[in-house]
């Protein structure tokens, strides 16, 4: 009997560790769908006072020349040409302070620090977004279908969303750091 229990325990160990990994990935910030809704609706609690952000998602349409003047070459390549930055190249991958991530193109608020998790991919990763932040489209650039997402205000490309993120959303918004600006809650 003891041996049987021992074997059962061994068999369930990898599953238990895998489950713990998923929970840890979300850092205990959100474990139920209601928690996710609360994070989305309460995003402004992480916005610094007098932060310079876009007041709405009213469309911002600029010419390519205007975007080139406004953005660094790296940000232009990602946002306006659907480029992908080198993994591990963005300091925002390790940003852990409370605050809000806005679009580098138009300053529309996109994510909060409470929506971020460490995916280990080398790109800033989030399990949900501020409501209305993005539009999506299917992308077949790597043959396999991927879901591309872009800023609802300026149309700038930010990344791709995958379904292997932490529970309960199981989403992983894999975002180019160069397409984001971080506004800490307290400077
Ligand atoms: Zn934008």
């Amino acid at each position: 009997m003891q041996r049987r229990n021992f074997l059962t325990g061994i068999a369930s160990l990898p599953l238990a560790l895998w489950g713990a990994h998923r929970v840890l990935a979300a850092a205990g910030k959100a474990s139920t769908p209601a928690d996710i809704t609360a994070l989305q609706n309460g995003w402004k609690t992480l916005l610094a006072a007098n932060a310079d952000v876009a007041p709405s998602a009213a469309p911002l349409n600029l010419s390519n020349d205007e975007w080139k003047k406004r953005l660094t070459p790296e940000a232009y390549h990602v946002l306006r040409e659907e480029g992908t930055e080198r993994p591990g190249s963005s300091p925002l991958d390790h940003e852990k302070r409370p605050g809000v991530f806005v679009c580098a193109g138009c300053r529309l608020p996109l994510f909060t620090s409470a929506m971020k998790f460490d995916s280990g991919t080398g790109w800033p990763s989030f399990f949900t977004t501020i409501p209305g932040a993005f539009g999506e489209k299917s992308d077949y650039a790597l043959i396999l279908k991927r879901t591309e997402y872009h800023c609802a205000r300026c149309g700038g490309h930010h990344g791709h969303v995958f379904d292997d993120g932490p529970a309960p959303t199981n989403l992983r918004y894999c975002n180019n750091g160069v397409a984001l600006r971080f506004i800490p809650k307290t400077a």
Side-chain angles (χ1 to χ4, degrees), residues 103 106 151 154:
C103 178
C106 73
C151 173
C154 73

Side-chain angles (χ1 to χ4, degrees), residues 59-71 76 80 105-106 153-154:
L60 175 68
N61 296 309
L62 301 178
S63 70
N64 285 341
D65 282 347
E66 287 170 316
W67 281 121
K68 276 182 182 161
K69 283 181 203 154
R70 182 183 273 234
L71 300 169
Y76 181 88
R80 310 313 310 178
C106 73
R153 181 171 186 236
C154 73

Side-chain angles (χ1 to χ4, degrees), residues 85 111 123-126 134 149 158-160 173-177 179-180:
E85 72 188 10
F111 305 103
W123 287 288
S125 301
F126 305 85
F134 295 111
Y149 63 90
H158 275 265
H160 292 85
Y173 287 83
C174 185
N175 213 101
N176 289 280
L180 299 170

